[in-house]
Amino acid sequence: MTLEELAAKAQACTACRLAEGRHTVVFGEGDPDAQLMIVGEGPGADEDAQGRPFVGKAGQLLNRILEAAGIPRESVYIANIVKCRPPGNRNPLPDEAKICTGLWLSKQIELIRPQIIAPLGSVAAQYFLGEKISITKVRGNWYEWHGIKIFPMFHPAYLLRNPSRAPGSPKALTWRDIQELKKTLD
Ligand code: URA
């Protein structure tokens, strides 16, 4: 199956309760041959309305971070743990994440075969590193998952809530992390 065929199939998904409240299935977008895949948590209101990942405020910050590091957004593949917006932007529940990743994200990864995956925030990082991890401990470190390098980073929505740029702040650490990521891509 191709990525397009998988995306088309996902549009009709009703495998979990998140299907009830969604407007659009936000499958993911970007270069199907990407070296780097970015994985967020799930669509928010803007993504649900537009059917594209990371197009709201957090997405605009993600764009600025990628641009500042010299990583074109089009060169990356961007997806989420869950493809449908959780009501009120709550975190996806464990069963929703399990069902959705089993049906879609795992297959996206198999088809794209990125060298590096950067999960953003704890929900995404937990999929690759296990439930017990804390994003503040794992961000900016390299891990391995099924032969793919995993480089967790803070979620841009978290950076929006913590705008300080002081040394050691989440924003300052993210600037260091994105440069480390860029260095590995070169
Ligand atoms: N937050 C996410 O985790 N994913 C999106 O696509 C948008 C906001």
Side-chain angles (χ1 to χ4, degrees):
M1 183 175 302
T2 66
L3 201 54
E4 288 90 49
E5 285 165 349
L6 190 69
K9 209 170 153 205
Q11 296 307 314
C13 185
T14 53
C16 88
R17 66 183 79 77
L18 294 182
E20 290 158 25
R22 71 157 186 252
H23 289 104
T24 326
V25 173
V26 182
F27 180 73
E29 68 178 22
D31 183 351
D33 299 315
Q35 202 185 343
L36 170 64
M37 184 163 174
I38 290 176
V39 178
E41 181 178 311
D46 294 307
E47 291 76 19
D48 181 51
Q50 293 185 42
R52 297 179 53 211
F54 282 103
V55 291
K57 283 219 165 70
Q60 284 157 23
L61 178 55
L62 176 64
N63 290 348
R64 292 200 294 278
I65 292 168
L66 291 171
E67 197 181 312
I71 304 171
R73 177 170 162 137
E74 319 76 64
S75 71
V76 173
Y77 193 90
I78 305 181
N80 282 303
I81 293 289
V82 293
K83 311 303 192 206
C84 299
R85 183 192 183 200
N89 291 346
R90 65 158 168 76
N91 282 359
L93 299 176
D95 67 318
E96 294 160 355
K98 193 165 175 210
I99 293 168
C100 197
T101 52
L103 282 171
W104 312 115
L105 183 68
S106 60
K107 300 201 175 92
Q108 282 173 300
I109 295 171
E110 266 174 40
L111 289 166
I112 296 163
R113 287 253 120 242
Q115 286 162 36
I116 301 171
I117 296 176
L120 305 182
S122 55
V123 169
Q126 280 166 1
Y127 175 67
F128 300 98
L129 304 177
E131 269 169 32
K132 298 225 160 71
I133 59 100
S134 129
I135 191 68
T136 50
K137 295 224 175 80
V138 298
R139 60 130 282 276
N141 291 294
W142 290 100
Y143 299 87
E144 209 191 291
W145 179 87
H146 299 295
I148 300 172
K149 290 181 190 155
I150 304 293
F151 189 73
M153 303 203 329
F154 283 126
H155 194 289
Y158 178 71
L159 302 179
L160 289 171
R161 296 194 297 273
N162 294 274
S164 165
R165 291 172 185 273
S169 63
K171 269 198 163 169
L173 294 170
T174 299
W175 179 238
R176 176 239 162 239
D177 293 350
I178 197 72
Q179 290 183 90
E180 164 80 11
L181 196 52
K182 165 73 175 147
K183 203 170 69 192
T184 311
L185 288 171
D186 286 340

